[in-house]
Structures are given as structure tokens and as C-alpha cells.
Amino acid sequence: MPAVSKGDGMRGLAVFISDIRNCKSKEAEIKRINKELANIRSKFKGDKALDGYSKKKYVCKLLFIFLLGHDIDFGHMEAVNLLSSNKYTEKQIGYLFISVLVNSNSDLIRLINNGIKNDLASRNPTFMNLALHCIANVGSREMAEAFASQIPSILVAGDTMDSVKQSAALCLLRLNRMCPDLVPMGEWTARVVHLLNDQHLGVVTAATSLITNLAQKSPDDFKTAVALSVARLSRIVTSASIDLQDYTYYFVAAPWLSVKLLRLLQCYPPPEDAALRSRLTECLETILNKAQEPPKSKKVQHSNAKNAILFEAISLIILHDSEPTLLVRACNQLGQFLQHRETNLRYLALESMCTLASSEFSHEAVKTHIDTVISALKTERDVSVRQRAVDLLYAMCDRSNAKQIVAEMLNYLETADYSIREEIVLKVAILAEKYAVDYTWYVDTMLNLIRMAGDYISEEVWYRVIQMVINRDEVQGYAAKTVFEALQAPACHENLVKVGGYILGEFGNLIAGDSRSSPLVQFNLLHSKFHLCSVPTRALLLSAYIKFINLFPEIKTTIQDVLRSNSQLRNADVELQQRAVEYLRLSCIASTDILATVLEEMPPFPERESSILAKLKKKKGPRHLPDIDDARRNVNGSTENSENAEASKKGSTHPFTDLMNVNSPPPATNSLLVDVFSDISTPAAVEVCEENFSRFVCKNNGVIYENQLLQIGLKSEYRQNLGRIYVFYGNKTSTQFVSFSSSVTSQEPLTAHLNVHSKTVDPVIEGGAQVQQIINIECVSDFTDAPVLDITFRYGGALQNIGVKLPVMLNKFFQPTEMTSQDFFQRWKQLGAPEQEVQKIFKAQHPMDTEVTKAKIIGFGVALLENVDPNPTNFVGAGVIHTKSTQVGCLLRLEPNTQAEMYRLTLRTSRESVSQRLCDLLSEQF
């Protein structure tokens, strides 16, 4: 090896690397490495006076050998010794070796900590940066214990250089992620927020990442960051690219900082301050406007940076869910991406529109892109994009397009990727049930689904078909006829045989009058499938046979012969043998009356949450709630549950009733356990939060309550005098809530007007998790007050009590009514008595936007009647309030005066108390 000069930059390392590259075989490489390792080991052991340069060179060689994949078991102490050097290059190699090779549990950590401590105290910015980088890279608990309290003081110190502030912020971010319990919260938290105003954008970028992470766990401590973030974001989006020349990336000003600021703002609800909220809205509008501008560069980096900011802005708009105009604009912008040539943009657009479809303000705008989404489903090459298209179709589905979307999903199912077929089956089953107005269509759809994708039909799906048919008398005959025809195919999937056996066993008598489906024909058809089926299906068919004996005594002998055959009585399977013996004996000894009693038609199933919906939630995972499996989305995620359930025996005959389960008592609780484990002292009265109550007058979904520990989201659905509220409790901390309970209470006058039943909720909510509670509501008569949701739980040993006013208002029980102009004014005159009309003139509290006004009137629950009022600027609506005791018709007229910024609201109903209450509720919204 040639002589090494100390001034030529570790020539020995360059020669060693060259030798390794020139090796012709793996054996030659290992031989050269072993020779070098032996040389380095002898140098470290023999030469006690090894200078810093040599140590650096040999440590570098060890590092290179390690990166080649070989184990290094010495040299660590020499690397630690390099930390005490005053030369940057030597110190740098020491820190690099430690960051790569030293384990966080190493015995050398204390020595390393001493070296780091000295560098942090040196106030030399270069050495401080090296030390901070090492802490962040190793990230051990010992290092966090040693420096977590020192780094914040470096970060907020006035004399700290910008580069060190950047490193300190990122180092603290790493420690907070690794050991959040060791990072102390103190006065520095208030000062670190002001780094968002720093002149150095690198410091602002690093600080934003840190504050975002901290705000997710302690939002109240960093509330002041909202105003500073909006101000900084406003300066960035309104600046020209030349103003931020050092931080402009392909003509996009500070894209990384913009994205981080938008993510920070997503940790908080919309600002309450009107000026700040207006400024944020301007920023978001500017970002949307810039997306429409012609590109300043054809480079992909330019479009990537521009789109990154756009998608983050859209995420913020969706999360706040408070600006209808922005939501519709965001939807239109995403619609342009649906046909973009870039696959990633199409994927992101579909994913974002899935969430937008769950917002009441933008759902209709999303539906306008249905043809484009269906086209993507048919032509898209990437399976992940096709899956997002399925998700979006599912999310945008409602009564107006359900049949079209279900048909498209069934068409796609035949060619769908195998990995997503089961999910499509679940979604088709849910949509068919949820939006089935004509249950013959539901039966046809489900049998077609079973025929096409039998292998992907889980038990929950065909169970639900049986349940729906049994609970609906009007469809039983059609179901029996349709399934009989389906079973005549030469090859039937086993799941179809199960459904056919069950339905014909229960309702075969409804089609037995036709000679083509006589009892014997039905039996022979089912029995022709028997030998091809598995044991569970054969067991079900045997049960169908004994049912036939009760329904059709004329074929009793034929069925007994089958049950008496050796293949049944001596079947190797115990279950089949037992059934055959017992059914045969029952048919022989039981009288006709006893048979009719034992084998009577199955009673209606008690309705609960759809088991298919529960399975889809489980398949998606607990974190994936924003799919529309639950209802129109809120900030937590959402869904619309099925409205199609059997009417209860005691209440209304409407199919919505039984699903709501309003007549069933609330689940019993073990009062003994509650008494034993409850607090000895009675909790003090809790102040009821009404802050967001009025926001829900014209919307059904959103966040009703939020503090630093808990977020409560609601999604609601109403039909006639019945309602169901899904309450989502989100644990925002990393610590579990225990002894969690929630109940709904009503004051004495309200209990006579409103029946409220709440289901129990899980007593434990894990950190970062979310649980759901269902509340069923029945409106008995018109009311004014609202029930209160009382929540109690323990967090960190402390008992927490929260009271939230539930947004259950009289207008929620509206059913919109379409009327012609003549009918409207005729009815208007009929309701002309003074006690039937309430009128209010009031000042506009919000901008007088026509589209927003229309959305609010529709959200209020009435039908918005177009071209009825002679004055085209006026708004008129009609609807019927449904209660259990009566129905109250309602007509409303809203007359805006844009010049005076005033409204006149007139309501006429057949009941004075209803007119007054509706007027009070609606006038607060404009």
C-alpha cells in the first residue's frame, strides 16, 4: 500500500475502497476485508498514541465495511474518543459511526452522552448541530432522559443560530415521538409557537413539524399557533415565487412549509374569530385559484409541488366542513383530476372525493361526476384506483342513483380483482338493503349477487337476505318464486341452495298453486342439489324437508322415504344422522296439530345493526370509519345505516321502525357492578355544552364537542317521526379511557314529547381509538327543549364529567313536500289565521349567498319549491312535521333584502307552537 500523506484526505480509505471494487469474487472481497480488519485491530491495540487522523481513517474503514454487510464488533471506543476532538472532520466521523453502529442499549451511551453534553455547552454551532443530529438518530430513552429538558431551552434561546434552531426542533420532534412522557411541557411551549414568525423559513418549517406533533396531543397548549399559521400561510400563498427565492421549488413558493402549515391547522376546528376565519378562507380560495392557473413549468416537480399544497388544502376544507362554497369548489377541482393522465392524481382525487361525498354541502356536487367514476371503474388499469372508484360510488350513493350504482357494481364484479371482490359484495348488499324502496328489486339484486359471486358471499350476507324476506310479508311470495326459478339452473352455487332451501321451506306454499312449482316439483328440485352440497347445507335442506311435511302433507311419504334411506339414517356425519332420525320420528308420531305448532313459520327477526355493515367495518379496520358504511360523514368518520327494517308489533308499520328499535327497552345493566365500582361521592352537576348546538339545525353530521381529551362526532338520520343518532367518541390521547359510560337525559316536560333510548357503549376506549353508540328517538308530539348527553370516564385516574346538548330539534322530523305554485298559495290562504302565522324580520348574520341559503333551507328539512314565488329572489318551502300523535303541515317564505342586509321569515302551520319553534330555529341560521 502506498504511503499515506496526512494532507491528502484519507487516501488510505480511497485505496481500500478501490481494492474492494476491484475484487473479482466474493471470496476475494472477504479476504481483503479480513486483512484490513486484522490491520485495524492491531493498530487500535498496539499503538496507544494513535493520532486523531488515523483514528478517523480507521473508523471510516470500519463504517464502510459495516455498510457492505459485515459485522463490526470493535472500534466503538475509538469512535467515542473522536467526539472529544476539536477538529470538525474527526468529530463528524465519530458521530457518524455512533449514529450508524451504536445500539440504543449500548454500554457506551453514558460516555457518548458526556461528549454530546460538552458539544451542546460549547455554543459552537457546528458542534451543536452534530450533537443534536446524533441524539435524533440514536433516539434512545437514556438520551431522552439526559437531554429532553436541555434541548427546548436551546430551541427558544434568543442567541441560538438559525441552523441550530432547526436541528433542535427536529431533534425534539424525534424525542417526542420516541419518548413522549420524557419531553416536559413548560413555558417554552408558549415561546416555541412564536418561531412560526421567524424570518428564517427553515426554522419555521422545522418548528411547524414540531408544533403539529405536540398539538395533536395537547391542542389547548398551542391554540395560539392557529393565528400565526394562518398569517404565515397567507404571506406565502400571496407572495410571488421571487419573494421567497431561496425556498421556491420549481416556481412554487415554499411548498413544504405550506403543506406543514395546512396540516397544523387540521389539528384545530375552524377559527372562531371572524377576521381570522375570513383570512383562512381567502388563503384556501387563493390555493384553489392557483390550481386553475396555467402551469409555469412543464417539469413534473412543479406540478407535484403545486398539487401537494392543493390536496392538503382540500383536506383542511373537508375537515372543517363549514364553508359550502369551498367544499363545492374543492369537489369541482378534484373532478378535473379524475381524468388526469397521472395515475397517482386520479387515485388521490377519488380518495378525497369519497370523503367529500359524506358532507351534506358537497354530496350533490360529487354526484355530478358519477359517469366519470363509472368510466374509471370500467377502463382503469390500476386495481388500487378501481378500488377507490368503488369506494366513491358507494359513498355517493343515495336513493336517486342507488339502482344505477348497484347495477354498475354488479357488472364490475364479474371482472373485479379477486382481492376486492368480497368487499364489493358487502357494499352491494348494504346499498341494496339501505335504498330498497321496492323489495322485489332487493330480492333480484341479492340473488343475482349470490349467483355471480357465490364464493365471496359470507354467511352474514345470505343470513341478511333470509332475515329481510322473513320480516316482509309483501315480498315473500316473490322471493319464493324467484329463488325457485334460480335453482333450476344446471349449476347453482351452494349459497344459493342455502337461500333456496330456507325460503322454500318457509314460503314454498305461496307458489305451490302453480303446477310448474307444485310441492313435489319443489322437493325434487331441492333434493337434486343435496348430493353436491357440504354437510351444513345438507343439514339445512333436511330442515327444509321436514318443513315441507307440514306445508304439503301430500308429499309426506316421499320425504319420509328419503329420510328413511340408509344414506341418511346411517350417515357418517353425526349431525346429519341425528337430524334424519329425529325428523323421521317426528313426522311419524306427531299429529297434524303438533307438527303445525313445532314447524310453524319463523317469526320476524328482531332488527339490530346490519351484520353485513359490521363485517365491512371489521374488514376496513377500526381506523377506516370515513367510508360511507355508517352515514354522511363528520370529522370522525361516518355512515348511513339501513333504513329498511320491519315495523314493530306495537308501533308504526313503516319499515323504518324496527331498525330504529324505538319500542324495545334499553339494555339492562348490572346495577350491582355499577354500585360497587362507582365513586362514593356523587359527581357535581356538570355544565351542559351548547356551543355547537345551533350548527346542527341545518345539518345532521359533524363534531358536536371537542376538548383536549375527547372528540364527539354525530351523524343522524330521520324518517317520519323516528330518528337514529350515531355518536362517535374519539380518544385524542395516547392513554385509554376507563369506566366510560354515556346516557341521555331529558327534563320532565320533554319526556312526554320525546322517547329516547340509547344503547350501551364500550367501557374502555384505547388511546387514539374510537367507539360508537346508537341512540334511537321517537317524536311523540311537538317539543321545544332538547335532551342532554351525559358522559363520564376516568383519564389518568381523574374522573371526567361532560354534558352535551344533543341537536334533536323539531325540524328533524320534517318530510319535504313538493307542491305546485297554485297548491302552495291555496294552502297558504287556508293557514291565514293570526295564531297560525309567525313572522320575524332580522338582520343577516352571514353573507347573503343564494346557494348557501338554498342549502340551509333544504338542510332544515323542507322541500325548496322553485318558480313558485312571483319574486324570484324569494325562497319558499313546504314540509310536514311527523309526530306519533299527529302531522303538522308547514309552509315557509324567506324574503331577503340584500341592500339592507335583512331577512323577513314567515312560517304558517296548523299549530301555533310549531310555527314559533320553527321560526326561532331557522332565523338563527342566516
Side-chain angles (χ1 to χ4, degrees):
M1 184 179 294
V4 176
S5 168
K6 294 190 179 182
D8 63 2
M10 293 194 293
R11 180 169 177 75
L13 174 64
V15 171
F16 173 62
I17 293 173
S18 177
D19 289 347
I20 294 296
R21 288 176 176 171
N22 291 331
C23 290
K24 302 297 183 184
S25 63
K26 187 69 175 176
E27 291 75 13
E29 178 184 311
I30 293 174
K31 183 177 179 181
R32 178 67 183 89
I33 287 172
N34 288 336
K35 178 182 178 182
E36 192 64 37
L37 286 174
N39 177 54
I40 297 171
R41 198 186 299 270
S42 65
K43 292 290 184 183
F44 284 166
K45 285 185 177 180
D47 194 348
K48 298 297 182 184
L50 206 61
D51 61 7
Y53 168 81
S54 300
K55 285 182 183 178
K56 177 183 72 171
K57 178 180 67 175
Y58 293 134
V59 166
C60 260
K61 288 183 178 181
L62 291 176
L63 186 57
F64 177 71
I65 293 171
F66 175 78
L67 295 177
L68 288 176
H70 300 272
D71 292 332
I72 300 297
D73 56 1
F74 69 98
H76 300 73
M77 184 57 74
E78 284 70 20
V80 173
N81 291 338
L82 286 176
L83 300 187
S84 59
S85 172
N86 288 324
K87 291 184 178 180
Y88 169 75
T89 55
E90 294 174 9
K91 192 182 290 287
Q92 179 195 34
I93 295 301
Y95 276 123
L96 182 61
F97 185 93
I98 290 166
S99 299
V100 175
L101 273 89
V102 173
N103 188 282
S104 60
N105 299 319
S106 171
D107 296 334
L108 298 174
I109 286 292
R110 289 193 178 183
L111 291 174
I112 296 169
N113 285 352
N114 288 333
I116 292 174
K117 194 174 295 183
N118 292 334
D119 285 334
L120 290 179
S122 69
R123 311 306 295 176
N124 182 320
T126 306
F127 292 174
M128 291 177 75
N129 275 327
L130 288 174
L132 290 167
H133 294 169
C134 182
I135 296 171
N137 285 327
V138 176
S140 68
R141 191 168 183 84
E142 278 197 26
M143 281 191 174
E145 290 172 348
F147 302 110
S149 58
Q150 184 179 357
I151 296 173
S153 59
I154 295 173
L155 176 61
V156 298
D159 59 344
T160 304
M161 293 187 64
D162 291 337
S163 61
V164 179
K165 284 183 181 179
Q166 286 179 261
S167 299
L170 295 175
C171 180
L172 197 57
L173 173 62
R174 162 74 168 172
L175 294 184
N176 192 57
R177 286 174 175 168
M178 297 297 294
C179 311
D181 55 311
L182 296 180
V183 178
M185 294 288 129
E187 61 172 347
W188 67 272
T189 55
R191 298 172 64 186
V192 77
V193 172
H194 292 286
L195 290 178
L196 295 175
N197 268 339
D198 199 280
Q199 293 182 349
H200 194 283
L201 287 191
V203 174
V204 180
T205 305
T208 306
S209 297
L210 173 62
I211 295 168
T212 302
N213 182 265
L214 295 171
Q216 288 170 348
K217 299 171 183 175
S218 306
D220 286 349
D221 293 338
F222 300 92
K223 276 185 177 179
T224 53
V226 175
L228 296 175
S229 298
V230 172
R232 175 64 80 171
L233 182 64
S234 178
R235 295 201 296 271
I236 293 173
V237 298
T238 56
S239 65
S241 57
I242 55 172
D243 297 338
L244 302 171
Q245 198 163 5
D246 292 341
Y247 286 86
T248 296
Y249 180 77
Y250 287 87
F251 303 101
V252 180
W256 286 275
L257 178 55
S258 300
V259 167
K260 289 177 184 291
L261 289 171
L262 289 165
R263 286 184 180 170
L264 173 56
L265 291 171
Q266 290 175 39
C267 297
Y268 294 93
E272 296 178 1
D273 180 68
L276 185 61
R277 189 167 184 165
S278 174
R279 192 173 185 184
L280 176 58
T281 302
E282 288 176 8
C283 290
L284 296 172
E285 286 178 343
T286 304
I287 293 172
L288 292 174
N289 291 337
K290 286 187 174 182
Q292 299 288 348
E293 296 175 358
K296 296 179 181 178
S297 170
K298 293 183 179 179
K299 299 279 188 178
V300 69
Q301 292 91 337
H302 172 74
S303 60
N304 285 346
K306 196 172 171 182
N307 292 331
I309 299 172
L310 174 63
F311 276 104
E312 210 61 53
I314 290 174
S315 295
L316 180 61
I317 292 169
I318 294 171
L319 189 69
H320 283 178
D321 195 21
S322 59
E323 296 291 340
T325 307
L326 286 179
L327 284 163
V328 172
R329 285 197 61 190
C331 179
N332 294 335
Q333 182 63 53
L334 291 172
Q336 296 177 18
F337 289 139
L338 292 180
Q339 295 178 306
H340 200 278
R341 69 175 188 275
E342 176 60 44
T343 305
N344 289 336
L345 280 181
R346 296 197 300 275
Y347 179 94
L348 290 171
L350 289 167
E351 189 175 47
S352 298
M353 288 185 80
C354 281
T355 317
L356 269 176
S358 306
S359 169
E360 292 177 319
F361 297 121
S362 55
H363 182 70
E364 292 299 321
V366 173
K367 282 167 57 179
T368 61
H369 300 285
I370 185 170
D371 293 334
T372 307
V373 179
I374 291 172
S375 174
L377 192 65
K378 295 176 179 177
T379 60
E380 183 61 55
R381 293 183 179 180
D382 192 307
V383 64
S384 63
V385 180
R386 293 199 301 272
Q387 185 169 3
R388 291 286 80 79
V390 170
D391 291 342
L392 179 52
L393 285 175
Y394 179 70
M396 69 168 63
C397 188
D398 59 21
R399 292 197 181 281
S400 66
N401 57 19
K403 290 189 177 181
Q404 179 188 5
I405 287 178
V406 169
E408 292 295 343
M409 283 189 171
L410 284 173
N411 290 337
Y412 173 61
L413 187 59
E414 297 189 43
T415 57
D417 191 83
Y418 292 107
S419 61
I420 63 174
R421 285 193 180 185
E422 184 180 2
E423 187 177 322
I424 296 175
V425 165
L426 294 175
K427 289 182 173 178
V428 169
I430 291 168
L431 294 178
E433 177 185 339
K434 183 183 298 185
Y435 299 115
V437 178
D438 176 7
Y439 282 97
T440 58
W441 171 75
Y442 171 78
V443 171
D444 289 337
T445 299
M446 294 307 297
L447 292 181
N448 196 22
L449 182 66
I450 295 172
R451 180 186 60 79
M452 293 171 59
D455 289 337
Y456 301 92
I457 301 292
S458 61
E459 288 187 340
E460 288 85 356
V461 174
W462 74 265
Y463 284 175
R464 192 65 177 172
V465 176
I466 298 298
Q467 185 178 359
M468 296 288 285
V469 171
I470 285 180
N471 286 7
R472 281 164 185 80
D473 295 340
E474 71 275 14
V475 79
Q476 291 166 357
Y478 181 80
K481 176 177 176 293
T482 307
V483 79
F484 174 78
E485 293 171 352
L487 286 172
Q488 293 180 18
C492 294
H493 195 276
E494 190 167 332
N495 282 326
L496 184 60
V497 177
K498 291 177 183 177
V499 174
Y502 203 114
I503 291 178
L504 291 178
E506 293 292 328
F507 311 115
N509 59 310
L510 299 178
I511 60 170
D514 190 332
S515 59
R516 292 170 297 180
S517 56
S518 65
L520 186 59
V521 173
Q522 290 184 43
F523 171 73
N524 289 334
L525 179 61
L526 283 179
H527 196 55
S528 67
K529 314 293 182 184
F530 187 89
H531 65 286
L532 300 172
C533 298
S534 62
V535 169
T537 307
R538 291 184 184 186
L540 186 149
L541 289 177
L542 289 177
S543 297
Y545 297 167
I546 191 65
K547 287 268 188 176
F548 274 2
I549 290 179
N550 178 48
L551 292 177
F552 314 120
E554 62 269 29
I555 62 170
K556 178 177 178 179
T557 306
T558 305
I559 296 175
Q560 285 179 332
D561 290 341
V562 171
L563 296 175
R564 198 179 283 118
S565 64
N566 285 339
S567 59
Q568 304 302 337
L569 294 182
R570 298 183 181 180
N571 198 296
D573 186 86
V574 176
E575 173 69 20
L576 293 181
Q577 186 186 89
Q578 182 176 354
R579 289 197 184 210
V581 171
E582 291 179 355
Y583 290 163
L584 177 62
R585 195 67 183 146
L586 177 65
S587 67
C588 292
I589 66 173
S591 66
T592 305
D593 292 340
I594 293 176
L595 273 178
T597 303
V598 174
L599 302 173
E600 67 177 345
E601 186 178 301
M602 286 290 290
F605 288 91
E607 288 284 357
R608 302 180 183 86
E609 180 188 37
S610 169
S611 56
I612 310 175
L613 188 59
K615 183 176 178 66
L616 182 60
K617 288 180 185 176
K618 185 176 180 182
K619 184 176 178 64
K620 282 289 188 182
R623 303 276 180 176
H624 200 94
L625 287 179
D627 230 8
I628 191 143
D629 323 332
D630 300 289
R632 294 287 167 239
R633 174 189 172 274
N634 60 37
V635 174
N636 293 314
S638 59
T639 53
E640 288 178 353
N641 208 350
S642 170
E643 300 174 352
N644 310 313
E646 178 67 18
S648 68
K649 300 294 182 184
K650 300 178 183 177
S652 164
T653 57
H654 193 279
F656 195 62
T657 307
D658 196 35
L659 180 59
M660 289 310 196
N661 208 16
V662 294
N663 293 310
S664 63
T669 56
N670 193 326
S671 57
L672 176 61
L673 285 179
V674 173
D675 289 338
V676 169
F677 291 107
S678 64
D679 285 306
I680 297 174
S681 59
T682 304
V686 180
E687 183 179 351
V688 177
C689 175
E690 301 183 21
E691 181 181 355
N692 296 322
F693 182 81
S694 62
R695 291 178 54 196
F696 283 79
V697 172
C698 295
K699 60 184 287 188
N700 288 332
N701 311 315
V703 175
I704 187 69
Y705 177 84
E706 185 169 15
N707 63 10
Q708 67 271 23
L709 302 178
L710 179 70
Q711 184 185 63
I712 304 175
L714 301 182
K715 52 182 178 49
S716 316
E717 52 186 14
Y718 294 87
R719 183 66 172 260
Q720 295 188 357
N721 68 314
L722 302 173
R724 170 172 281 186
I725 299 178
Y726 298 84
V727 187
F728 292 91
Y729 302 99
N731 184 347
K732 296 172 62 177
T733 72
S734 56
T735 306
Q736 67 175 199
F737 296 161
V738 296
S739 303
F740 191 94
S741 67
S742 67
S743 59
V744 181
T745 58
S746 303
Q747 297 299 325
E748 187 56 39
L750 184 61
T751 54
H753 305 295
L754 208 63
N755 291 333
V756 182
H757 294 142
S758 59
K759 298 190 177 181
T760 54
V761 65
D762 292 339
V764 177
I765 305 181
E766 298 295 337
Q770 186 184 73
V771 298
Q772 174 186 296
Q773 181 182 28
I774 298 176
I775 300 173
N776 296 318
I777 302 160
E778 181 184 36
C779 179
V780 180
S781 58
D782 62 279
F783 59 95
T784 329
D785 205 355
V788 174
L789 184 65
D790 294 316
I791 303 110
T792 62
F793 60 93
R794 287 191 174 276
Y795 170 72
L799 185 64
Q800 308 287 329
N801 295 299
I802 298 169
V804 180
K805 194 171 184 179
L806 273 179
V808 180
M809 305 91 162
L810 187 58
N811 66 293
K812 298 299 181 184
F813 301 96
F814 256 129
Q815 287 294 300
T817 304
E818 296 291 341
M819 302 177 75
T820 64
S821 178
Q822 181 181 353
D823 292 340
F824 179 85
F825 286 106
Q826 181 180 353
R827 181 62 177 158
W828 183 266
K829 291 177 182 178
Q830 292 172 354
L831 296 172
E835 67 273 9
Q836 293 177 325
E837 178 180 287
V838 173
Q839 189 173 89
K840 188 174 184 179
I841 299 174
F842 54 93
K843 187 77 173 174
Q845 303 297 320
H846 305 284
M848 300 178 73
D849 185 282
T850 301
E851 294 302 318
V852 173
T853 303
K854 287 182 179 179
K856 287 183 177 179
I857 291 175
I858 294 171
F860 192 65
V862 298
L864 183 65
L865 306 180
E866 303 280 0
N867 303 320
V868 168
D869 197 292
N871 186 343
T873 62
N874 293 347
F875 304 92
V876 294
V880 178
I881 296 283
H882 285 259
T883 70
K884 187 176 182 181
S885 58
T886 186
Q887 296 182 3
V888 183
C890 171
L891 302 178
L892 71 83
R893 189 179 192 185
L894 182 68
E895 300 167 88
N897 184 336
T898 53
Q899 292 181 344
E901 294 187 346
M902 301 282 287
Y903 286 103
R904 180 167 65 183
L905 174 64
T906 309
L907 278 116
R908 291 188 180 184
T909 74
S910 55
R911 185 170 296 185
E912 182 180 4
S913 59
V914 173
S915 301
Q916 187 62 55
R917 180 56 179 158
L918 293 178
C919 184
D920 293 341
L921 287 170
L922 187 56
S923 60
E924 295 175 354
Q925 303 303 308
F926 299 103

